[in-house]
Protein backbone atom coordinates (compact mmCIF):
# COMPACT_ATOMS: atom_id res chain seq x y z
CA UNK A 1 0.00 0.00 0.00
CA UNK A 2 1.19 3.54 -0.62
CA UNK A 3 -0.07 5.81 2.14
CA UNK A 4 1.09 9.42 2.09
CA UNK A 5 3.33 10.83 4.81
CA UNK A 6 3.05 14.07 6.74
CA UNK A 7 5.65 16.76 6.33
CA UNK A 8 6.09 20.21 7.85
CA UNK A 9 6.30 23.07 5.38
CA UNK A 10 8.04 26.39 5.78
CA UNK A 11 4.86 28.37 5.30
CA UNK A 12 3.06 29.04 8.56
CA UNK A 13 0.22 31.20 7.36
CA UNK A 14 -1.77 28.55 5.49
CA UNK A 15 -2.46 24.85 5.42
CA UNK A 16 -1.97 23.22 2.07
CA UNK A 17 -2.89 19.71 0.99
CA UNK A 18 -0.56 18.85 -1.85
CA UNK A 19 -2.10 17.07 -4.80
CA UNK A 20 -0.55 13.73 -5.57
CA UNK A 21 -0.37 14.56 -9.24
CA UNK A 22 1.50 17.84 -8.95
CA UNK A 23 4.74 16.95 -7.19
CA UNK A 24 7.55 16.15 -9.60
CA UNK A 25 10.32 15.88 -7.03
CA UNK A 26 8.79 15.15 -3.62
CA UNK A 27 10.88 15.60 -0.52
CA UNK A 28 11.91 12.43 1.29
CA UNK A 29 11.26 12.49 5.00
CA UNK A 30 14.23 11.67 7.19
CA UNK A 31 13.68 9.27 10.06
CA UNK A 32 10.44 7.60 11.06
CA UNK A 33 7.31 9.17 9.55
CA UNK A 34 3.78 8.95 10.81
CA UNK A 35 1.45 7.38 8.26
CA UNK A 36 -1.51 9.61 7.54
CA UNK A 37 -4.84 8.08 8.55
CA UNK A 38 -7.61 9.61 6.43
CA UNK A 39 -10.67 10.62 8.38
CA UNK A 40 -8.77 10.19 11.64
CA UNK A 41 -5.80 12.56 11.55
CA UNK A 42 -6.06 16.29 10.95
CA UNK A 43 -3.46 18.45 9.23
CA UNK A 44 -1.79 20.90 11.56
CA UNK A 45 -0.93 24.42 10.49
CA UNK A 46 1.84 24.37 7.90
CA UNK A 47 1.52 20.65 7.18
CA UNK A 48 0.99 19.07 3.80
CA UNK A 49 0.70 15.54 2.43
CA UNK A 50 3.57 14.11 0.39
CA UNK A 51 3.16 11.02 -1.78
CA UNK A 52 5.76 8.28 -2.04
CA UNK A 53 6.88 7.97 -5.70
CA UNK A 54 7.86 4.35 -5.08
CA UNK A 55 4.15 3.56 -4.60
CA UNK A 56 3.31 4.28 -8.24
CA UNK A 57 4.49 2.92 -11.56
CA UNK A 58 2.78 5.97 -13.02
CA UNK A 59 0.95 9.03 -11.67
CA UNK A 60 -0.07 12.20 -13.49
CA UNK A 61 -2.88 14.70 -13.46
CA UNK A 62 -4.56 16.44 -16.38
CA UNK A 63 -7.62 18.60 -17.07
CA UNK A 64 -10.02 19.19 -19.97
CA UNK A 65 -11.22 22.57 -18.65
CA UNK A 66 -14.32 22.46 -16.47
CA UNK A 67 -14.76 19.80 -13.76
CA UNK A 68 -16.35 16.54 -14.91
CA UNK A 69 -18.80 14.46 -12.88
CA UNK A 70 -18.45 11.57 -15.29
CA UNK A 71 -16.22 10.15 -18.01
CA UNK A 72 -15.57 6.88 -19.78
CA UNK A 73 -12.59 5.17 -21.36
CA UNK A 74 -12.97 4.61 -25.09
CA UNK A 75 -11.75 1.20 -26.21
CA UNK A 76 -9.13 1.57 -28.94
CA UNK A 77 -7.37 -0.45 -31.63
CA UNK A 78 -3.91 -0.37 -30.03
CA UNK A 79 -4.02 -3.88 -28.55
CA UNK A 80 -6.34 -5.93 -26.37
CA UNK A 81 -3.82 -6.33 -23.55
CA UNK A 82 -0.79 -4.09 -23.32
CA UNK A 83 1.62 -3.82 -20.45
CA UNK A 84 4.66 -1.96 -21.77
CA UNK A 85 5.21 1.79 -21.65
CA UNK A 86 4.66 4.17 -23.33
CA UNK A 87 0.87 3.97 -23.24
CA UNK A 88 -1.86 5.88 -25.08
CA UNK A 89 -5.46 6.15 -23.95
CA UNK A 90 -8.68 7.66 -25.28
CA UNK A 91 -11.65 8.93 -23.27
CA UNK A 92 -14.84 10.97 -23.28
CA UNK A 93 -16.00 13.21 -20.45
CA UNK A 94 -18.89 15.57 -19.75
CA UNK A 95 -18.45 18.93 -18.08
CA UNK A 96 -20.16 20.77 -15.23
CA UNK A 97 -19.52 24.34 -16.39
CA UNK A 98 -20.24 27.52 -14.46
CA UNK A 99 -22.99 28.41 -16.94
CA UNK A 100 -25.18 25.92 -18.83
CA UNK A 101 -24.30 27.11 -22.39
CA UNK A 102 -20.58 26.58 -21.69
CA UNK A 103 -20.86 22.80 -21.31
CA UNK A 104 -19.36 20.30 -23.71
CA UNK A 105 -18.33 16.71 -24.18
CA UNK A 106 -14.55 16.48 -24.11
CA UNK A 107 -13.07 13.81 -26.38
CA UNK A 108 -9.45 13.35 -25.34
CA UNK A 109 -6.32 11.39 -26.14
CA UNK A 110 -3.40 11.02 -23.76
CA UNK A 111 -0.17 9.82 -25.32
CA UNK A 112 3.45 9.55 -24.21
CA UNK A 113 2.45 7.94 -20.91
CA UNK A 114 5.84 6.80 -19.64
CA UNK A 115 6.36 5.11 -16.29
CA UNK A 116 8.55 2.58 -14.56
CA UNK A 117 9.58 -0.32 -16.76
CA UNK A 118 8.75 -3.78 -15.55
CA UNK A 119 11.42 -6.47 -15.24
CA UNK A 120 9.56 -9.73 -15.94
CA UNK A 121 12.64 -11.74 -14.85
CA UNK A 122 15.07 -10.46 -12.19
CA UNK A 123 18.28 -9.16 -13.74
CA UNK A 124 20.38 -11.38 -11.45
CA UNK A 125 18.63 -14.48 -12.79
CA UNK A 126 19.55 -13.58 -16.36
CA UNK A 127 23.11 -12.32 -16.33
CA UNK A 128 24.30 -12.68 -12.76
CA UNK A 129 23.95 -8.95 -12.02
CA UNK A 130 23.38 -7.90 -8.43
CA UNK A 131 20.01 -6.87 -7.04
CA UNK A 132 21.60 -3.66 -5.78
CA UNK A 133 22.46 -2.59 -9.32
CA UNK A 134 18.94 -3.34 -10.44
CA UNK A 135 17.39 -1.31 -7.62
CA UNK A 136 19.70 1.60 -8.25
CA UNK A 137 18.89 1.82 -11.96
CA UNK A 138 15.20 1.54 -11.16
CA UNK A 139 15.42 4.50 -8.76
CA UNK A 140 17.31 6.59 -11.30
CA UNK A 141 14.76 5.78 -13.96
CA UNK A 142 11.83 6.67 -11.71
CA UNK A 143 13.42 10.00 -10.80
CA UNK A 144 14.08 10.83 -14.43
CA UNK A 145 10.50 9.98 -15.41
CA UNK A 146 9.00 12.09 -12.63
CA UNK A 147 11.03 15.12 -13.60
CA UNK A 148 11.08 15.07 -17.37
CA UNK A 149 8.19 13.06 -18.81
CA UNK A 150 4.73 14.46 -19.22
CA UNK A 151 1.82 13.02 -21.17
CA UNK A 152 0.61 14.83 -24.28
CA UNK A 153 -3.07 15.78 -24.08
CA UNK A 154 -5.08 16.21 -27.28
CA UNK A 155 -8.64 17.46 -26.81
CA UNK A 156 -11.74 18.02 -28.93
CA UNK A 157 -14.93 19.63 -27.62
CA UNK A 158 -18.50 18.96 -28.75
CA UNK A 159 -21.25 21.27 -27.48
CA UNK A 160 -23.71 19.75 -24.97
CA UNK A 161 -26.91 21.40 -23.75
CA UNK A 162 -26.52 21.65 -19.97
CA UNK A 163 -24.23 19.75 -17.63
CA UNK A 164 -23.43 16.07 -18.15
CA UNK A 165 -24.49 13.88 -15.23
CA UNK A 166 -23.08 10.69 -16.74
CA UNK A 167 -21.48 9.56 -19.99
CA UNK A 168 -20.87 6.03 -21.31
CA UNK A 169 -19.13 4.68 -24.41
CA UNK A 170 -20.57 1.56 -26.09
CA UNK A 171 -18.34 -1.51 -25.66
CA UNK A 172 -18.84 -2.87 -29.19
CA UNK A 173 -18.83 0.50 -31.00
CA UNK A 174 -16.75 2.76 -28.74
CA UNK A 175 -17.33 5.86 -30.87
CA UNK A 176 -21.03 5.72 -29.90
CA UNK A 177 -21.63 7.47 -26.55
CA UNK A 178 -24.68 8.14 -24.40
CA UNK A 179 -25.07 11.14 -22.09
CA UNK A 180 -27.48 11.89 -19.24
CA UNK A 181 -27.97 15.66 -19.12
CA UNK A 182 -29.10 17.74 -16.18
CA UNK A 183 -31.73 19.09 -18.60
CA UNK A 184 -33.57 15.75 -18.30
CA UNK A 185 -32.63 14.49 -21.78
CA UNK A 186 -30.71 11.32 -22.62
CA UNK A 187 -28.77 11.61 -25.86
CA UNK A 188 -26.74 9.27 -28.05
CA UNK A 189 -23.79 10.63 -30.03
CA UNK A 190 -21.43 9.48 -32.77
CA UNK A 191 -17.98 10.74 -31.78
CA UNK A 192 -16.07 9.08 -34.65
CA UNK A 193 -15.12 12.38 -36.39
CA UNK A 194 -13.40 13.61 -33.22
CA UNK A 195 -11.80 10.27 -32.37
CA UNK A 196 -10.49 9.87 -35.92
CA UNK A 197 -9.00 13.36 -35.77
CA UNK A 198 -7.31 12.55 -32.45
CA UNK A 199 -5.97 9.26 -33.81
CA UNK A 200 -4.31 11.15 -36.66
CA UNK A 201 -2.82 13.78 -34.36
CA UNK A 202 0.93 14.00 -34.00
CA UNK A 203 3.05 14.75 -30.96
CA UNK A 204 1.86 18.32 -30.56
CA UNK A 205 -1.48 19.34 -29.00
CA UNK A 206 -4.16 20.76 -31.32
CA UNK A 207 -4.44 24.52 -31.67
CA UNK A 208 -8.24 24.39 -31.61
CA UNK A 209 -8.78 23.18 -28.05
CA UNK A 210 -10.75 26.35 -27.25
CA UNK A 211 -13.22 25.68 -30.08
CA UNK A 212 -16.50 24.05 -29.02
CA UNK A 213 -17.82 22.28 -32.12
CA UNK A 214 -21.52 22.10 -32.86
CA UNK A 215 -22.41 18.42 -33.15
CA UNK A 216 -25.88 16.92 -33.44
CA UNK A 217 -26.82 13.81 -31.44
CA UNK A 218 -28.07 10.68 -33.19
CA UNK A 219 -30.98 10.33 -30.77
CA UNK A 220 -32.61 12.44 -28.04
CA UNK A 221 -35.04 10.92 -25.55
CA UNK A 222 -37.14 13.31 -23.46
CA UNK A 223 -39.51 10.77 -21.90
CA UNK A 224 -37.97 10.66 -18.43
CA UNK A 225 -39.98 12.54 -15.80
CA UNK A 226 -36.86 13.91 -14.12
CA UNK A 227 -33.13 14.16 -14.73
CA UNK A 228 -30.99 11.17 -13.81
CA UNK A 229 -27.57 9.59 -13.49
CA UNK A 230 -28.11 5.89 -14.20
CA UNK A 231 -27.20 4.65 -17.68
CA UNK A 232 -25.47 1.55 -19.09
CA UNK A 233 -24.79 -0.13 -22.44
CA UNK A 234 -25.17 -3.88 -22.68
CA UNK A 235 -21.79 -5.68 -23.03
CA UNK A 236 -23.55 -8.55 -24.86
CA UNK A 237 -26.28 -7.00 -27.06
CA UNK A 238 -24.74 -4.19 -29.15
CA UNK A 239 -26.69 -0.94 -28.90
CA UNK A 240 -29.02 -2.07 -26.09
CA UNK A 241 -29.21 0.63 -23.40
CA UNK A 242 -31.04 1.33 -20.14
CA UNK A 243 -31.45 4.76 -18.54
CA UNK A 244 -32.84 5.51 -15.08
CA UNK A 245 -33.99 8.77 -13.50
CA UNK A 246 -34.46 10.48 -10.13
CA UNK A 247 -38.20 9.79 -10.36
CA UNK A 248 -37.64 5.99 -10.05
CA UNK A 249 -38.27 5.29 -13.75
CA UNK A 250 -36.11 3.04 -15.97
CA UNK A 251 -36.44 3.00 -19.77
CA UNK A 252 -35.15 0.40 -22.23
CA UNK A 253 -33.51 1.39 -25.51
CA UNK A 254 -33.43 -1.14 -28.35
CA UNK A 255 -31.34 -0.47 -31.47
CA UNK A 256 -32.88 -0.44 -34.93
CA UNK A 257 -31.07 -0.52 -38.26
CA UNK A 258 -30.48 3.23 -38.14
CA UNK A 259 -31.52 4.49 -34.68
CA UNK A 260 -33.10 3.46 -31.35
CA UNK A 261 -36.60 2.68 -30.15
CA UNK A 262 -37.13 3.72 -26.53
CA UNK A 263 -39.91 2.01 -24.60
CA UNK A 264 -42.15 4.81 -23.28
CA UNK A 265 -43.43 2.54 -20.49
CA UNK A 266 -40.86 2.46 -17.68
CA UNK A 267 -39.79 -0.47 -15.54
CA UNK A 268 -41.40 0.03 -12.12
CA UNK A 269 -40.13 -1.36 -8.83
CA UNK A 270 -38.13 1.27 -7.00
CA UNK A 271 -39.89 3.78 -4.76
CA UNK A 272 -37.17 6.45 -5.01
CA UNK A 273 -34.43 7.69 -7.35
CA UNK A 274 -32.60 5.10 -9.48
CA UNK A 275 -28.92 5.90 -8.94
CA UNK A 276 -27.07 3.34 -11.10
CA UNK A 277 -27.66 0.58 -13.66
CA UNK A 278 -25.52 -2.38 -14.72
CA UNK A 279 -26.17 -5.03 -17.37
CA UNK A 280 -25.37 -8.64 -16.55
CA UNK A 281 -22.02 -9.77 -17.99
CA UNK A 282 -23.51 -13.17 -18.95
CA UNK A 283 -27.25 -12.65 -19.64
CA UNK A 284 -28.13 -10.21 -22.46
CA UNK A 285 -31.67 -9.63 -21.16
CA UNK A 286 -30.82 -9.10 -17.46
CA UNK A 287 -29.75 -5.90 -15.70
CA UNK A 288 -29.40 -4.62 -12.14
CA UNK A 289 -30.40 -1.30 -10.59
CA UNK A 290 -29.78 0.41 -7.25
CA UNK A 291 -31.78 3.14 -5.58
CA UNK A 292 -32.13 5.70 -2.82
CA UNK A 293 -34.78 3.28 -1.47
CA UNK A 294 -31.80 1.19 -0.14
CA UNK A 295 -32.43 -1.76 -2.47
CA UNK A 296 -30.85 -3.50 -5.45
CA UNK A 297 -33.20 -4.96 -8.05
CA UNK A 298 -32.56 -7.51 -10.81
CA UNK A 299 -34.69 -7.23 -13.96
CA UNK A 300 -35.31 -9.49 -16.96
CA UNK A 301 -36.62 -7.58 -19.97
CA UNK A 302 -38.34 -10.75 -21.28
CA UNK A 303 -40.71 -11.08 -18.31
CA UNK A 304 -42.37 -7.71 -17.85
CA UNK A 305 -41.71 -4.41 -16.10
CA UNK A 306 -41.32 -5.66 -12.51
CA UNK A 307 -38.05 -6.81 -10.88
CA UNK A 308 -37.50 -10.57 -10.70
CA UNK A 309 -35.39 -10.09 -7.53
CA UNK A 310 -35.23 -7.17 -5.13
CA UNK A 311 -33.42 -7.04 -1.80
CA UNK A 312 -32.33 -4.49 0.79
CA UNK A 313 -28.63 -3.82 0.20
CA UNK A 314 -27.77 -1.06 2.70
CA UNK A 315 -29.19 1.05 5.51
CA UNK A 316 -28.98 4.21 3.40
CA UNK A 317 -29.05 5.33 -0.26
CA UNK A 318 -27.32 2.89 -2.62
CA UNK A 319 -25.34 5.22 -4.88
CA UNK A 320 -23.43 2.90 -7.21
CA UNK A 321 -23.15 -0.75 -8.26
CA UNK A 322 -20.69 -2.82 -10.30
CA UNK A 323 -21.36 -6.27 -11.74
CA UNK A 324 -18.24 -8.46 -11.77
CA UNK A 325 -17.52 -9.51 -15.36
CA UNK A 326 -15.05 -12.20 -14.26
CA UNK A 327 -17.24 -13.65 -11.49
CA UNK A 328 -20.78 -13.05 -12.69
CA UNK A 329 -22.75 -13.80 -9.47
CA UNK A 330 -20.93 -10.95 -7.69
CA UNK A 331 -22.27 -7.41 -7.47
CA UNK A 332 -20.54 -4.68 -5.46
CA UNK A 333 -22.55 -1.73 -4.12
CA UNK A 334 -21.53 1.60 -2.59
CA UNK A 335 -23.61 3.46 -0.03
CA UNK A 336 -24.22 7.04 1.07
CA UNK A 337 -22.93 6.22 4.57
CA UNK A 338 -19.43 5.41 3.24
CA UNK A 339 -19.74 1.64 3.35
CA UNK A 340 -19.62 -0.78 0.44
CA UNK A 341 -20.80 -4.36 0.19
CA UNK A 342 -20.31 -7.48 -1.92
CA UNK A 343 -23.39 -9.50 -2.86
CA UNK A 344 -23.42 -13.05 -4.22
CA UNK A 345 -26.61 -13.54 -6.25
CA UNK A 346 -26.14 -17.31 -6.34
CA UNK A 347 -26.58 -17.46 -2.56
CA UNK A 348 -30.17 -16.20 -2.90
CA UNK A 349 -31.29 -19.68 -3.89
CA UNK A 350 -29.48 -21.27 -0.96
CA UNK A 351 -30.36 -19.06 2.01
CA UNK A 352 -31.97 -15.89 0.69
CA UNK A 353 -29.08 -13.71 1.87
CA UNK A 354 -26.79 -12.12 -0.72
CA UNK A 355 -24.30 -10.34 1.57
CA UNK A 356 -20.83 -11.91 1.65
CA UNK A 357 -18.71 -8.86 2.47
CA UNK A 358 -19.23 -5.45 4.08
CA UNK A 359 -16.56 -2.74 4.49
CA UNK A 360 -16.82 0.47 6.52
CA UNK A 361 -13.42 2.06 5.87
CA UNK A 362 -14.54 5.24 4.07
CA UNK A 363 -15.89 8.15 6.14
CA UNK A 364 -18.21 9.72 3.55
CA UNK A 365 -20.48 8.71 0.66
CA UNK A 366 -19.20 6.27 -1.95
CA UNK A 367 -19.29 7.94 -5.37
CA UNK A 368 -17.97 5.18 -7.63
CA UNK A 369 -17.15 1.47 -7.47
CA UNK A 370 -15.76 -0.80 -10.17
CA UNK A 371 -14.40 -4.35 -10.38
CA UNK A 372 -11.07 -4.83 -12.10
CA UNK A 373 -11.47 -6.18 -15.66
CA UNK A 374 -8.39 -8.34 -15.15
CA UNK A 375 -8.54 -9.66 -11.56
CA UNK A 376 -11.81 -11.18 -10.33
CA UNK A 377 -11.20 -10.40 -6.64
CA UNK A 378 -9.99 -6.80 -7.07
CA UNK A 379 -12.09 -3.62 -7.06
CA UNK A 380 -11.58 0.12 -6.70
CA UNK A 381 -13.71 2.68 -4.85
CA UNK A 382 -13.95 6.48 -4.71
CA UNK A 383 -15.53 8.45 -1.90
CA UNK A 384 -16.43 12.00 -0.92
CA UNK A 385 -13.70 11.70 1.73
CA UNK A 386 -11.22 12.48 -1.12
CA UNK A 387 -9.83 8.94 -1.28
CA UNK A 388 -9.56 6.34 -4.00
CA UNK A 389 -8.97 2.87 -2.54
CA UNK A 390 -8.11 -0.45 -4.15
CA UNK A 391 -9.13 -3.73 -2.53
CA UNK A 392 -8.28 -7.40 -3.06
CA UNK A 393 -11.05 -9.41 -1.46
CA UNK A 394 -9.03 -12.64 -1.73
CA UNK A 395 -6.58 -11.42 0.90
CA UNK A 396 -6.84 -12.57 4.52
CA UNK A 397 -5.01 -11.52 7.65
CA UNK A 398 -1.68 -13.35 8.16
CA UNK A 399 -0.29 -12.77 11.65
CA UNK A 400 3.20 -14.07 10.81
CA UNK A 401 3.50 -11.95 7.68
CA UNK A 402 2.23 -8.88 9.54
CA UNK A 403 4.79 -9.35 12.32
CA UNK A 404 7.57 -9.59 9.73
CA UNK A 405 6.29 -6.49 7.94
CA UNK A 406 6.05 -4.47 11.16
CA UNK A 407 9.60 -5.41 12.08
CA UNK A 408 10.79 -4.16 8.68
CA UNK A 409 8.72 -0.99 8.76
CA UNK A 410 9.40 -0.01 12.35
CA UNK A 411 12.11 2.45 11.43
CA UNK A 412 10.26 3.89 8.44
CA UNK A 413 6.63 4.33 9.42
CA UNK A 414 4.22 3.64 12.23
CA UNK A 415 1.49 1.82 10.31
CA UNK A 416 -2.08 2.04 11.66
CA UNK A 417 -3.24 -1.10 13.46
CA UNK A 418 -6.78 -1.25 12.15
CA UNK A 419 -6.38 -1.24 8.36
CA UNK A 420 -8.42 -4.02 6.72
CA UNK A 421 -6.20 -6.78 5.27
CA UNK A 422 -8.04 -6.50 1.94
CA UNK A 423 -7.03 -2.85 1.50
CA UNK A 424 -4.26 -2.78 -1.13
CA UNK A 425 -3.79 0.90 -1.88
CA UNK A 426 -4.93 4.39 -0.88
CA UNK A 427 -4.68 7.23 -3.38
CA UNK A 428 -5.21 10.83 -2.27
CA UNK A 429 -4.62 14.35 -3.53
CA UNK A 430 -7.83 14.81 -5.53
CA UNK A 431 -10.70 16.87 -4.16
CA UNK A 432 -14.29 15.53 -4.27
CA UNK A 433 -13.63 12.34 -6.23
CA UNK A 434 -16.59 11.50 -8.49
CA UNK A 435 -15.84 8.51 -10.70
CA UNK A 436 -13.13 6.00 -11.57
CA UNK A 437 -12.58 3.46 -14.32
CA UNK A 438 -10.03 0.71 -14.82
CA UNK A 439 -8.58 0.76 -18.32
CA UNK A 440 -9.93 -2.41 -19.98
CA UNK A 441 -6.82 -2.85 -22.15
CA UNK A 442 -4.01 -1.64 -19.86
CA UNK A 443 -3.82 -3.80 -16.71
CA UNK A 444 -3.51 -1.93 -13.38
CA UNK A 445 -4.23 1.51 -14.92
CA UNK A 446 -6.97 3.57 -13.26
CA UNK A 447 -8.30 6.96 -14.35
CA UNK A 448 -10.29 9.07 -11.88
CA UNK A 449 -12.13 12.37 -12.11
CA UNK A 450 -12.65 14.91 -9.34
CA UNK A 451 -13.55 18.54 -8.81
CA UNK A 452 -9.95 19.54 -9.58
CA UNK A 453 -9.34 17.38 -12.65
CA UNK A 454 -8.26 13.89 -13.64
CA UNK A 455 -5.55 11.53 -12.39
CA UNK A 456 -4.02 8.59 -14.24
CA UNK A 457 -2.47 6.16 -11.78
CA UNK A 458 -0.79 2.78 -11.85
CA UNK A 459 -0.01 1.57 -8.32
CA UNK A 460 3.20 -0.43 -8.15
CA UNK A 461 1.72 -3.13 -5.92
CA UNK A 462 -1.00 -4.22 -8.34
CA UNK A 463 1.21 -4.96 -11.33
CA UNK A 464 -1.25 -7.38 -12.86
CA UNK A 465 -0.23 -10.40 -14.91
CA UNK A 466 -2.89 -11.59 -17.29
CA UNK A 467 -3.45 -15.36 -17.11
CA UNK A 468 -2.97 -16.90 -20.54
CA UNK A 469 -2.01 -13.63 -22.21
CA UNK A 470 0.40 -14.13 -25.09
CA UNK A 471 2.81 -11.49 -26.44
CA UNK A 472 0.92 -11.58 -29.74
CA UNK A 473 -2.08 -10.00 -27.97
CA UNK A 474 -0.34 -6.65 -28.28
CA UNK A 475 -0.89 -6.84 -32.05
CA UNK A 476 -4.62 -7.52 -31.79
CA UNK A 477 -6.89 -4.61 -32.67
CA UNK A 478 -10.39 -3.67 -31.70
CA UNK A 479 -12.61 -3.08 -34.72
CA UNK A 480 -15.43 -0.53 -34.61
CA UNK A 481 -18.13 -0.64 -37.26
CA UNK A 482 -20.13 2.40 -38.25
CA UNK A 483 -23.36 2.89 -36.28
Amino acid sequence: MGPPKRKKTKSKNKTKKQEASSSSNPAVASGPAKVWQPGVDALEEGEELQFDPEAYNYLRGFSIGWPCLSFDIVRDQLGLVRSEFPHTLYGVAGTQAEQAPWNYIGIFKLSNINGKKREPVPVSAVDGGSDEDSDSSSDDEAEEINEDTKPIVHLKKAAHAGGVNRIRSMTQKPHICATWGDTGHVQVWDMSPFLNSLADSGTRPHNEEDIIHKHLPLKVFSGHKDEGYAIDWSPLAPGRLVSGDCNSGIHLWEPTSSNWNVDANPFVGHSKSVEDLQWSPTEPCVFASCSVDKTIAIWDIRVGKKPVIQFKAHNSDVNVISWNRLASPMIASGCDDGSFSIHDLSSLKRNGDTLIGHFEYHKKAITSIEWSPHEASTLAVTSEDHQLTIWDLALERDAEEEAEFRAKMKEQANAPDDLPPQLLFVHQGQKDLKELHWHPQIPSMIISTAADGFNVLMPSNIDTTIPGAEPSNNDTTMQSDDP
Side-chain angles (χ1 to χ4, degrees), residues 303-323:
V303 296
K305 298 295 178 65
K306 298 281 186 182
V308 293
I309 299 168
Q310 190 165 13
F311 57 92
K312 183 180 178 183
H314 288 274
N315 292 321
S316 186
D317 306 4
V318 189
N319 295 335
V320 284
I321 50 175
S322 178
W323 205 321

Side-chain angles (χ1 to χ4, degrees), residues 165-166 180-182 184 224 226-230 244-246 273-275:
N165 291 346
R166 196 158 290 174
W180 233 131
D182 61 12
H224 281 284
D226 198 352
E227 69 172 302
Y229 296 83
D245 59 46
C246 297
S273 173
V274 176
E275 297 292 280

Side-chain angles (χ1 to χ4, degrees), residues 397-411:
R397 197 172 289 281
D398 185 323
E400 188 176 326
E401 190 177 279
E402 284 188 10
E404 186 180 329
F405 175 77
R406 287 181 189 284
K408 267 187 202 174
M409 291 295 292
K410 191 164 58 176
E411 295 179 2

Side-chain angles (χ1 to χ4, degrees), residues 74-80 82 88 90 174-175 195-196 199 439 441 473-481:
V74 175
R75 290 172 183 261
D76 56 50
Q77 300 180 36
L78 302 176
L80 283 175
R82 35 193 213 266
T88 295
Y90 291 84
H175 57 290
L195 289 165
N196 291 338
H439 198 295
Q441 295 163 270
N473 278 356
N474 287 331
D475 298 324
T476 308
T477 58
M478 300 285 289
Q479 296 298 328
S480 295
D481 300 323

